Amino acid sequence: MDLDDLYQEIILEHFKYPKNRGSLNDADLKLEGKNPFCGDEIKLTVKFNGPTLDRVEFEGTGCAISQASASMMTEKLKGKTVAEVRELINEFSSMVKGNKEAVNTDRLGDLIALKGVCDFPTRVKCALLAWRVVEQGIEKM
Ligand code: ZN
């Protein structure tokens, strides 16, 4: 198994068994977005605990890249402050757009599995969908 296969494995695992799938009844933020190029849809609910994102859940339909990215993202954002979330969004965006220097592999963890999408411009929108939804949601915070 080479590295690409391993990454593929992580993506498929999150696609088949997504983390934090659902919708929070007591959400502070309800967000949604679509990627018309691929037909992906993501709905996110976020509950804050003071300045940090306490719980993040998502529902969605679409390709494996978009859904796996959302699943990994919800794991990553829990317990982070809005400022930290902004940094992660920037870092993840840089990675999938192929800017290797900006990437801190320790911080991104499993999300590194999505690095390969930078070679496929149409898939970059899939990978970024969930992140754009969060970015818009916290824009004015
Ligand atoms: Zn897609």
Side-chain angles (χ1 to χ4, degrees):
M1 189 187 276
D2 66 21
L3 212 53
D4 282 349
D5 290 335
L6 176 67
Y7 288 159
Q8 205 66 29
E9 197 85 346
I10 294 171
I11 291 167
L12 286 176
E13 192 71 16
H14 276 275
F15 180 51
K16 282 191 216 158
Y17 310 105
K19 309 275 192 203
N20 309 303
R21 190 157 182 102
S23 178
L24 298 165
N25 291 327
D26 56 347
D28 296 313
L29 275 182
K30 287 186 179 178
L31 311 165
E32 57 180 292
K34 292 181 184 182
N35 170 22
F37 299 95
C38 181
D40 309 317
E41 290 187 30
I42 295 286
K43 286 183 183 175
L44 279 163
T45 47
V46 182
K47 177 73 184 166
F48 284 88
N49 178 10
T52 63
L53 284 71
D54 189 36
R55 282 173 289 147
V56 186
E57 292 199 354
F58 86 100
E59 291 178 324
T61 54
C63 68
I65 301 282
S66 67
Q67 304 303 308
S69 183
S71 171
M72 287 189 245
M73 182 191 78
T74 56
E75 282 287 277
K76 200 49 120 177
L77 298 190
K78 279 192 288 183
K80 299 286 192 300
T81 65
V82 170
E84 287 168 336
V85 168
R86 284 205 181 91
E87 278 176 31
L88 278 167
I89 293 170
N90 286 336
E91 202 158 26
F92 182 78
S93 305
S94 299
M95 180 184 77
V96 294
K97 287 172 182 168
N99 181 358
K100 292 177 181 70
E101 282 127 63
V103 177
N104 178 329
T105 49
D106 288 343
R107 197 152 49 186
L108 287 175
D110 272 7
L111 289 162
I112 297 293
L114 290 163
K115 188 173 61 170
V117 302
C118 66
D119 295 325
F120 305 93
T122 54
R123 307 322 293 269
V124 172
K125 288 191 173 68
C126 301
L128 281 177
L129 174 60
W131 299 77
R132 294 232 179 284
V133 170
V134 172
E135 191 174 34
Q136 283 161 14
I138 63 172
E139 203 172 36
K140 294 188 179 74
M141 299 182 81

